[in-house]
Amino acid sequence: MVAVALRCHSLLLNSRKYTTVAESFKIIPQIISDEARARDNFVAFHSQKWLSPGKFVLSEEHAWEKVFVPFWLFRGTFRYDYSYRVGLKDDSGKIVEWKSMPWSEGARFVAHENEDAMQICGTFQYRFDFIDSLKPGKVGVDMAVCERPGDMAEPDAIDMKRSLAWNFAWRNVYAKEERALRALLEQKHRNTSIDCVKLRLTGVPNFSKVVHLPAYIVRYTYGEKINVHGERIPSKFYAMVSAVSGRVASNEHISVKKSAVLGGIGATLAMGVSTAMRSMLGYNAAAWSFFDYVFTSSGVAATCALLAQVLPETIRQNKEYELFSQFDDGFNIGSNEEHLQVLKDREIERMLKEWTRWEQGTKDPCDPEKRKLWAENLWNAHRSRLEKMRILDREREEAQKRRRADSEREMRREARWGPRKRSIDTEGMSHKRNLDYLGFYQVLGLDPSNFVTQHEIKQKFYKKVLRYHPDKHSCSESKAEAKKVFQRLIRAYEVLKHPATRKKYDAGEWNEP
């Protein structure tokens, strides 16, 4: 469960007020100045493990390209509030009760641009997990100069808006502070259990600028994957090498040749061991011929080579599918059953999950324009839902002001003229204020004692109409009952959809014509 104050996101929407320094290119001086050193670092990266392919990933035909990756650097002031639950244990150590702790004010701190959390890649051309390992860091930011190298090609365009980049920085700070807070609480309550840690983080961006990180990139194919048509096609990858730190960002591969050799040797040893064991146990073991060894070892080696080509990509796709399937869109804005603050908390939880899904889903090399469009659609949808919450919040405040004004006016009237006499109709029913005396709120599934917006009335009406429409019922008895409810829904909505008639109904002054 996560939460955040709505004020933070209003700052995100007005992020154009940030102070920026992007008039001239700020380039981080490079240490690796040629492609040979970048290739050597790449080969060393793929030679760390025994099954890694090493130098067999690339050939001399693969060309390295020098790029200048833009990074947004932010400096911001943050503060957070937190709450959590503590498990109370009995003498046997079993948790008997969970005690919710009240909200407490956390620390106020400043996150600087030389921290990794505040350094955001300003382009959608590359994988974000690659970029995270190539961030400039403190040293790179301090070394940035406003000079354009003579061999500098045109830098990558900054196609990420400041507001979206600040959202990424806010999420990084949130994840960092949540881990630190959980560790602090676990250390504080060593003998108890901690659960349901909630964090409300607000942040104000104070400063932003852009620097360009020089790097080398190479595109290559390795292994195979199965496409949507069931065809085996080559898997395309790319790798990046930072020209500042020399760090390598690349997929890890399994060597096909090493897998085949390992499989063949394993099959030969298994056949030999099985023959020896049968002889030791006294069984009449049939002798393996030379061709049996060759045929079996070759078959196992070919199978291992095929698995080394296809299995890594298949495992990645399955993990991505499982990650996608665990997210749903079961977040309703304006639900009467939930408090508005709970809706805000659920919206932030949804935002964090959707962006996690976006990061995992964009690991596979895909069209940068699609990656950018997906990110912008997520960001626009999130801002739209926040705007709906602000409207609901404003309507609730206006309704509270009206109720306070009515209450003060009624108190002044009673102080001058005495208590008001309630009118009684012919049936002897007292028309009390805010009383659902005709059951219009009840038939829509709403509680008139709570704050109900016009949007909620409309939403509930459409939902009930689809359920009780007579055409959706085949049985004559159920169809007749549904028709009665349907007509009552129409009548209730005709009264409550207009603010004027709804006000009369809430005051007990509206009569059925």
Side-chain angles (χ1 to χ4, degrees):
M1 189 67 181
V2 292
V4 68
L6 198 60
R7 174 172 169 267
C8 173
H9 297 279
S10 64
L11 293 170
L12 297 182
L13 301 182
N14 300 324
S15 59
R16 294 183 179 179
K17 300 179 181 179
Y18 298 170
T19 305
T20 60
V21 180
E23 300 298 332
S24 58
F25 293 108
K26 296 183 72 66
I27 309 298
I28 301 176
Q30 60 188 23
I31 299 175
I32 300 177
S33 58
D34 55 354
E35 300 178 3
R37 291 188 59 186
R39 180 186 295 273
D40 294 341
N41 288 10
F42 179 82
V43 173
F45 175 82
H46 284 283
S47 302
Q48 297 175 357
K49 298 181 180 179
W50 190 83
L51 283 179
S52 298
K55 62 181 180 180
F56 298 105
V57 177
L58 297 180
S59 62
E60 297 297 334
E61 299 177 356
H62 291 88
W64 289 79
E65 178 186 0
K66 191 174 183 179
V67 295
F68 292 85
V69 184
F71 275 86
W72 280 106
L73 307 182
F74 292 97
R75 184 192 308 152
T77 304
F78 294 88
R79 66 172 297 272
Y80 66 86
D81 300 330
Y82 65 94
S83 176
Y84 59 98
R85 293 195 312 172
V86 178
L88 303 179
K89 300 181 180 180
D90 55 12
D91 297 337
S92 61
K94 183 179 179 181
I95 298 178
V96 295
E97 182 183 358
W98 286 98
K99 181 180 179 181
S100 297
M101 306 301 292
W103 284 94
S104 304
E105 183 176 352
R108 298 173 181 266
F109 59 94
V110 177
H112 296 275
E113 60 271 22
N114 55 15
E115 300 179 15
D116 288 347
M118 306 300 286
Q119 300 174 359
I120 308 300
C121 180
T123 179
F124 292 95
Q125 299 295 323
Y126 313 109
R127 287 173 45 170
F128 267 55
D129 57 332
F130 282 8
I131 295 299
D132 285 342
S133 61
L134 300 180
K135 285 183 177 180
K138 183 178 185 305
V139 178
V141 173
D142 295 340
M143 292 170 57
V145 295
C146 297
E147 297 179 0
R148 188 185 182 102
D151 62 340
M152 178 178 176
E154 189 66 24
D156 292 331
I158 306 174
D159 52 4
M160 178 182 292
K161 298 179 181 179
R162 292 192 194 96
S163 58
L164 183 54
W166 170 251
N167 179 51
F168 280 105
W170 178 89
R171 291 193 306 114
N172 293 339
V173 175
Y174 181 92
K176 178 182 177 181
E177 293 302 319
E178 185 182 31
R179 290 192 299 267
L181 176 62
R182 188 176 294 275
L184 181 63
L185 294 177
E186 290 177 352
Q187 184 179 6
K188 180 179 178 181
H189 302 275
R190 294 181 179 179
N191 300 327
T192 57
S193 299
I194 303 298
D195 186 26
C196 196
V197 178
K198 303 177 184 178
L199 182 67
R200 291 178 179 173
L201 179 70
T202 57
V204 180
N206 302 327
F207 175 77
S208 67
K209 65 179 179 180
V210 177
V211 299
H212 288 79
L213 172 73
Y216 291 94
I217 184 173
V218 61
R219 306 180 188 278
Y220 61 97
T221 59
Y222 189 84
E224 295 179 340
K225 66 178 181 180
I226 301 176
N227 60 9
V228 294
H229 303 291
E231 302 170 344
R232 291 170 52 188
I233 59 176
S235 297
K236 298 181 180 180
F237 302 96
Y238 69 87
M240 302 183 69
V241 180
S242 173
V244 176
S245 61
R247 290 192 296 245
V248 179
S250 174
N251 291 82
E252 293 186 356
H253 304 292
I254 300 177
S255 174
V256 176
K257 295 181 179 180
K258 294 180 180 179
S259 300
V261 171
L262 182 62
I265 294 175
T268 303
L269 292 177
M271 294 172 65
V273 170
S274 64
T275 302
M277 292 295 296
R278 290 176 64 88
S279 301
M280 292 174 60
L281 295 176
Y283 292 100
N284 186 15
W288 294 92
S289 65
F290 174 76
F291 295 101
D292 293 334
Y293 277 98
V294 172
F295 180 78
T296 305
S297 301
S298 301
V300 174
T303 303
C304 293
L306 180 61
L307 291 177
Q309 286 183 313
V310 179
L311 193 59
E313 181 66 19
T314 304
I315 293 176
R316 188 199 65 80
Q317 292 178 357
N318 291 337
K319 288 183 179 180
E320 182 177 305
Y321 176 78
E322 292 176 0
L323 180 67
F324 280 19
S325 61
Q326 69 179 349
F327 299 129
D328 53 32
D329 293 331
F331 299 86
N332 298 320
I333 303 299
S335 175
N336 187 66
E337 288 78 10
E338 294 182 296
H339 193 270
L340 186 59
Q341 182 60 47
V342 178
L343 290 176
K344 295 177 184 178
D345 299 346
R346 287 170 60 83
E347 170 57 28
I348 301 305
E349 180 183 4
R350 175 180 183 175
M351 180 194 70
L352 294 174
K353 287 185 176 181
E354 285 183 340
W355 281 114
T356 303
R357 174 179 177 176
W358 177 85
E359 290 176 348
Q360 297 293 330
T362 55
K363 284 185 177 181
D364 185 50
C366 61
D367 187 357
E369 291 299 327
K370 293 182 179 179
R371 185 186 294 122
K372 177 182 177 181
L373 181 61
W374 186 3
E376 291 181 347
N377 288 341
L378 284 179
W379 179 231
N380 292 333
H382 174 62
R383 293 195 297 181
S384 175
R385 291 191 294 267
L386 289 177
E387 184 63 27
K388 290 182 180 179
M389 290 184 186
R390 271 189 287 275
I391 294 175
L392 291 176
D393 212 359
R394 187 164 55 249
E395 290 181 355
R396 185 182 64 172
E397 291 178 358
E398 293 175 354
Q400 290 175 351
K401 290 180 180 179
R402 289 196 301 268
R403 290 174 183 175
R404 285 195 297 267
D406 292 344
S407 178
E408 292 175 358
R409 184 168 56 252
E410 185 66 19
M411 291 176 62
R412 291 194 300 267
R413 195 207 65 79
E414 289 185 359
R416 182 174 182 180
W417 305 104
R420 183 190 298 271
K421 294 182 179 180
R422 302 294 180 183
S423 60
I424 306 297
D425 63 2
T426 57
E427 298 180 358
M429 183 177 62
S430 175
H431 292 306
K432 297 182 180 179
R433 186 175 179 82
N434 292 329
L435 181 65
D436 189 17
Y437 58 96
L438 294 180
F440 286 170
Y441 286 100
Q442 182 180 3
V443 73
L444 291 173
L446 297 169
D447 185 3
S449 61
N450 296 333
F451 172 70
V452 181
T453 64
Q454 296 297 129
H455 175 73
E456 291 175 337
I457 294 175
K458 183 178 180 180
Q459 188 180 40
K460 287 289 186 179
F461 170 72
Y462 286 144
K463 185 177 180 180
K464 292 280 187 179
V465 163
L466 291 176
R467 179 179 178 184
Y468 291 102
H469 196 281
D471 294 343
K472 292 186 175 293
H473 298 267
S474 57
C475 180
S476 58
E477 296 181 359
S478 61
K479 191 170 186 177
E481 185 66 25
K483 185 177 181 180
K484 294 180 181 179
V485 178
F486 181 78
Q487 293 175 350
R488 187 158 180 77
L489 285 170
I490 297 294
R491 189 56 187 159
Y493 184 64
E494 288 293 330
V495 175
L496 299 181
K497 74 176 182 178
H498 300 292
T501 56
R502 179 188 173 187
K503 185 176 181 180
K504 289 183 178 180
Y505 179 78
D506 291 341
E509 301 173 356
W510 190 88
N511 294 321
E512 189 82 33

PDB file of all heavy atoms in Angstrom, residues 121-138:
ATOM      1  N   CYS A 121      17.554   9.494 -17.968  1.00  0.00           N
ATOM      2  CA  CYS A 121      17.854   9.547 -19.396  1.00  0.00           C
ATOM      3  C   CYS A 121      16.778  10.349 -20.121  1.00  0.00           C
ATOM      4  O   CYS A 121      15.578  10.128 -19.908  1.00  0.00           O
ATOM      5  CB  CYS A 121      17.943   8.135 -19.965  1.00  0.00           C
ATOM      6  SG  CYS A 121      18.322   8.070 -21.726  1.00  0.00           S
ATOM      7  N   GLY A 122      17.186  11.273 -20.972  1.00  0.00           N
ATOM      8  CA  GLY A 122      16.245  12.159 -21.638  1.00  0.00           C
ATOM      9  C   GLY A 122      15.785  11.696 -22.999  1.00  0.00           C
ATOM     10  O   GLY A 122      15.191  12.488 -23.740  1.00  0.00           O
ATOM     11  N   THR A 123      16.027  10.450 -23.357  1.00  0.00           N
ATOM     12  CA  THR A 123      15.589   9.929 -24.646  1.00  0.00           C
ATOM     13  C   THR A 123      15.016   8.534 -24.480  1.00  0.00           C
ATOM     14  O   THR A 123      15.362   7.822 -23.540  1.00  0.00           O
ATOM     15  CB  THR A 123      16.748   9.896 -25.657  1.00  0.00           C
ATOM     16  OG1 THR A 123      16.291   9.365 -26.903  1.00  0.00           O
ATOM     17  CG2 THR A 123      17.891   9.057 -25.140  1.00  0.00           C
ATOM     18  N   PHE A 124      14.138   8.164 -25.391  1.00  0.00           N
ATOM     19  CA  PHE A 124      13.533   6.832 -25.378  1.00  0.00           C
ATOM     20  C   PHE A 124      14.219   5.878 -26.350  1.00  0.00           C
ATOM     21  O   PHE A 124      13.694   4.799 -26.629  1.00  0.00           O
ATOM     22  CB  PHE A 124      12.046   6.930 -25.754  1.00  0.00           C
ATOM     23  CG  PHE A 124      11.207   7.629 -24.729  1.00  0.00           C
ATOM     24  CD1 PHE A 124      10.929   8.977 -24.847  1.00  0.00           C
ATOM     25  CD2 PHE A 124      10.700   6.948 -23.647  1.00  0.00           C
ATOM     26  CE1 PHE A 124      10.156   9.635 -23.915  1.00  0.00           C
ATOM     27  CE2 PHE A 124       9.919   7.587 -22.699  1.00  0.00           C
ATOM     28  CZ  PHE A 124       9.648   8.935 -22.836  1.00  0.00           C
ATOM     29  N   GLN A 125      15.378   6.249 -26.865  1.00  0.00           N
ATOM     30  CA  GLN A 125      16.044   5.434 -27.869  1.00  0.00           C
ATOM     31  C   GLN A 125      16.674   4.169 -27.283  1.00  0.00           C
ATOM     32  O   GLN A 125      16.943   3.220 -28.022  1.00  0.00           O
ATOM     33  CB  GLN A 125      17.136   6.257 -28.559  1.00  0.00           C
ATOM     34  CG  GLN A 125      16.619   7.490 -29.279  1.00  0.00           C
ATOM     35  CD  GLN A 125      15.714   7.142 -30.443  1.00  0.00           C
ATOM     36  OE1 GLN A 125      15.946   6.163 -31.147  1.00  0.00           O
ATOM     37  NE2 GLN A 125      14.661   7.929 -30.628  1.00  0.00           N
ATOM     38  N   TYR A 126      16.914   4.141 -25.976  1.00  0.00           N
ATOM     39  CA  TYR A 126      17.660   3.035 -25.377  1.00  0.00           C
ATOM     40  C   TYR A 126      16.882   2.451 -24.200  1.00  0.00           C
ATOM     41  O   TYR A 126      16.004   3.098 -23.618  1.00  0.00           O
ATOM     42  CB  TYR A 126      19.037   3.518 -24.897  1.00  0.00           C
ATOM     43  CG  TYR A 126      19.762   4.350 -25.917  1.00  0.00           C
ATOM     44  CD1 TYR A 126      19.935   5.719 -25.749  1.00  0.00           C
ATOM     45  CD2 TYR A 126      20.259   3.765 -27.082  1.00  0.00           C
ATOM     46  CE1 TYR A 126      20.581   6.485 -26.696  1.00  0.00           C
ATOM     47  CE2 TYR A 126      20.914   4.524 -28.037  1.00  0.00           C
ATOM     48  CZ  TYR A 126      21.064   5.885 -27.843  1.00  0.00           C
ATOM     49  OH  TYR A 126      21.703   6.641 -28.788  1.00  0.00           O
ATOM     50  N   ARG A 127      17.245   1.226 -23.849  1.00  0.00           N
ATOM     51  CA  ARG A 127      16.619   0.542 -22.728  1.00  0.00           C
ATOM     52  C   ARG A 127      16.984   1.238 -21.424  1.00  0.00           C
ATOM     53  O   ARG A 127      18.138   1.589 -21.191  1.00  0.00           O
ATOM     54  CB  ARG A 127      17.060  -0.922 -22.680  1.00  0.00           C
ATOM     55  CG  ARG A 127      16.442  -1.777 -23.747  1.00  0.00           C
ATOM     56  CD  ARG A 127      17.014  -3.168 -23.774  1.00  0.00           C
ATOM     57  NE  ARG A 127      17.140  -3.772 -22.462  1.00  0.00           N
ATOM     58  CZ  ARG A 127      17.444  -5.056 -22.250  1.00  0.00           C
ATOM     59  NH1 ARG A 127      17.645  -5.850 -23.284  1.00  0.00           N
ATOM     60  NH2 ARG A 127      17.547  -5.535 -21.037  1.00  0.00           N
ATOM     61  N   PHE A 128      15.986   1.388 -20.556  1.00  0.00           N
ATOM     62  CA  PHE A 128      16.227   2.120 -19.319  1.00  0.00           C
ATOM     63  C   PHE A 128      17.069   1.306 -18.342  1.00  0.00           C
ATOM     64  O   PHE A 128      17.784   1.887 -17.521  1.00  0.00           O
ATOM     65  CB  PHE A 128      14.886   2.504 -18.683  1.00  0.00           C
ATOM     66  CG  PHE A 128      14.406   3.863 -19.093  1.00  0.00           C
ATOM     67  CD1 PHE A 128      14.257   4.196 -20.433  1.00  0.00           C
ATOM     68  CD2 PHE A 128      14.125   4.815 -18.150  1.00  0.00           C
ATOM     69  CE1 PHE A 128      13.832   5.438 -20.816  1.00  0.00           C
ATOM     70  CE2 PHE A 128      13.692   6.077 -18.521  1.00  0.00           C
ATOM     71  CZ  PHE A 128      13.539   6.396 -19.855  1.00  0.00           C
ATOM     72  N   ASP A 129      16.998  -0.021 -18.388  1.00  0.00           N
ATOM     73  CA  ASP A 129      17.856  -0.802 -17.494  1.00  0.00           C
ATOM     74  C   ASP A 129      19.317  -0.707 -17.928  1.00  0.00           C
ATOM     75  O   ASP A 129      20.222  -0.783 -17.092  1.00  0.00           O
ATOM     76  CB  ASP A 129      17.395  -2.253 -17.443  1.00  0.00           C
ATOM     77  CG  ASP A 129      17.357  -2.885 -18.834  1.00  0.00           C
ATOM     78  OD1 ASP A 129      17.161  -2.159 -19.816  1.00  0.00           O
ATOM     79  OD2 ASP A 129      17.533  -4.109 -18.932  1.00  0.00           O
ATOM     80  N   PHE A 130      19.582  -0.523 -19.227  1.00  0.00           N
ATOM     81  CA  PHE A 130      20.941  -0.284 -19.690  1.00  0.00           C
ATOM     82  C   PHE A 130      21.436   1.087 -19.217  1.00  0.00           C
ATOM     83  O   PHE A 130      22.562   1.235 -18.747  1.00  0.00           O
ATOM     84  CB  PHE A 130      21.015  -0.351 -21.214  1.00  0.00           C
ATOM     85  CG  PHE A 130      21.022  -1.757 -21.764  1.00  0.00           C
ATOM     86  CD1 PHE A 130      20.794  -2.845 -20.941  1.00  0.00           C
ATOM     87  CD2 PHE A 130      21.246  -1.990 -23.109  1.00  0.00           C
ATOM     88  CE1 PHE A 130      20.794  -4.132 -21.435  1.00  0.00           C
ATOM     89  CE2 PHE A 130      21.256  -3.274 -23.622  1.00  0.00           C
ATOM     90  CZ  PHE A 130      21.032  -4.350 -22.780  1.00  0.00           C
ATOM     91  N   ILE A 131      20.571   2.082 -19.364  1.00  0.00           N
ATOM     92  CA  ILE A 131      20.952   3.433 -19.011  1.00  0.00           C
ATOM     93  C   ILE A 131      21.246   3.552 -17.519  1.00  0.00           C
ATOM     94  O   ILE A 131      22.134   4.305 -17.095  1.00  0.00           O
ATOM     95  CB  ILE A 131      19.855   4.422 -19.434  1.00  0.00           C
ATOM     96  CG1 ILE A 131      19.723   4.428 -20.964  1.00  0.00           C
ATOM     97  CG2 ILE A 131      20.132   5.811 -18.917  1.00  0.00           C
ATOM     98  CD1 ILE A 131      20.983   4.858 -21.682  1.00  0.00           C
ATOM     99  N   ASP A 132      20.504   2.798 -16.684  1.00  0.00           N
ATOM    100  CA  ASP A 132      20.734   2.870 -15.238  1.00  0.00           C
ATOM    101  C   ASP A 132      22.160   2.468 -14.874  1.00  0.00           C
ATOM    102  O   ASP A 132      22.737   2.999 -13.923  1.00  0.00           O
ATOM    103  CB  ASP A 132      19.740   1.975 -14.501  1.00  0.00           C
ATOM    104  CG  ASP A 132      18.344   2.589 -14.457  1.00  0.00           C
ATOM    105  OD1 ASP A 132      18.256   3.806 -14.677  1.00  0.00           O
ATOM    106  OD2 ASP A 132      17.372   1.860 -14.235  1.00  0.00           O
ATOM    107  N   SER A 133      22.732   1.523 -15.615  1.00  0.00           N
ATOM    108  CA  SER A 133      24.095   1.090 -15.318  1.00  0.00           C
ATOM    109  C   SER A 133      25.149   2.010 -15.931  1.00  0.00           C
ATOM    110  O   SER A 133      26.332   1.863 -15.637  1.00  0.00           O
ATOM    111  CB  SER A 133      24.315  -0.339 -15.831  1.00  0.00           C
ATOM    112  OG  SER A 133      24.141  -0.406 -17.238  1.00  0.00           O
ATOM    113  N   LEU A 134      24.718   2.945 -16.783  1.00  0.00           N
ATOM    114  CA  LEU A 134      25.668   3.863 -17.435  1.00  0.00           C
ATOM    115  C   LEU A 134      25.513   5.299 -16.963  1.00  0.00           C
ATOM    116  O   LEU A 134      26.027   6.221 -17.597  1.00  0.00           O
ATOM    117  CB  LEU A 134      25.480   3.815 -18.958  1.00  0.00           C
ATOM    118  CG  LEU A 134      25.679   2.467 -19.639  1.00  0.00           C
ATOM    119  CD1 LEU A 134      25.458   2.611 -21.141  1.00  0.00           C
ATOM    120  CD2 LEU A 134      27.060   1.922 -19.372  1.00  0.00           C
ATOM    121  N   LYS A 135      24.808   5.541 -15.862  1.00  0.00           N
ATOM    122  CA  LYS A 135      24.572   6.903 -15.400  1.00  0.00           C
ATOM    123  C   LYS A 135      25.890   7.611 -15.107  1.00  0.00           C
ATOM    124  O   LYS A 135      26.862   6.977 -14.687  1.00  0.00           O
ATOM    125  CB  LYS A 135      23.688   6.887 -14.160  1.00  0.00           C
ATOM    126  CG  LYS A 135      22.230   6.584 -14.471  1.00  0.00           C
ATOM    127  CD  LYS A 135      21.377   6.655 -13.231  1.00  0.00           C
ATOM    128  CE  LYS A 135      19.905   6.430 -13.580  1.00  0.00           C
ATOM    129  NZ  LYS A 135      19.044   6.505 -12.384  1.00  0.00           N
ATOM    130  N   PRO A 136      25.925   8.939 -15.302  1.00  0.00           N
ATOM    131  CA  PRO A 136      27.188   9.663 -15.106  1.00  0.00           C
ATOM    132  C   PRO A 136      27.749   9.545 -13.702  1.00  0.00           C
ATOM    133  O   PRO A 136      28.966   9.501 -13.508  1.00  0.00           O
ATOM    134  CB  PRO A 136      26.808  11.114 -15.432  1.00  0.00           C
ATOM    135  CG  PRO A 136      25.578  11.011 -16.267  1.00  0.00           C
ATOM    136  CD  PRO A 136      24.850   9.799 -15.797  1.00  0.00           C
ATOM    137  N   GLY A 137      26.874   9.511 -12.670  1.00  0.00           N
ATOM    138  CA  GLY A 137      27.357   9.445 -11.301  1.00  0.00           C
ATOM    139  C   GLY A 137      27.881  10.789 -10.824  1.00  0.00           C
ATOM    140  O   GLY A 137      27.837  11.805 -11.527  1.00  0.00           O
ATOM    141  N   LYS A 138      28.399  10.804  -9.615  1.00  0.00           N
ATOM    142  CA  LYS A 138      28.879  12.053  -9.021  1.00  0.00           C
ATOM    143  C   LYS A 138      30.087  12.613  -9.766  1.00  0.00           C
ATOM    144  O   LYS A 138      30.175  13.807 -10.048  1.00  0.00           O
ATOM    145  CB  LYS A 138      29.236  11.826  -7.557  1.00  0.00           C
ATOM    146  CG  LYS A 138      29.676  13.074  -6.818  1.00  0.00           C
ATOM    147  CD  LYS A 138      29.967  12.764  -5.368  1.00  0.00           C
ATOM    148  CE  LYS A 138      30.282  14.059  -4.593  1.00  0.00           C
ATOM    149  NZ  LYS A 138      31.364  14.830  -5.180  1.00  0.00           N
TER     150      LYS A 138
END
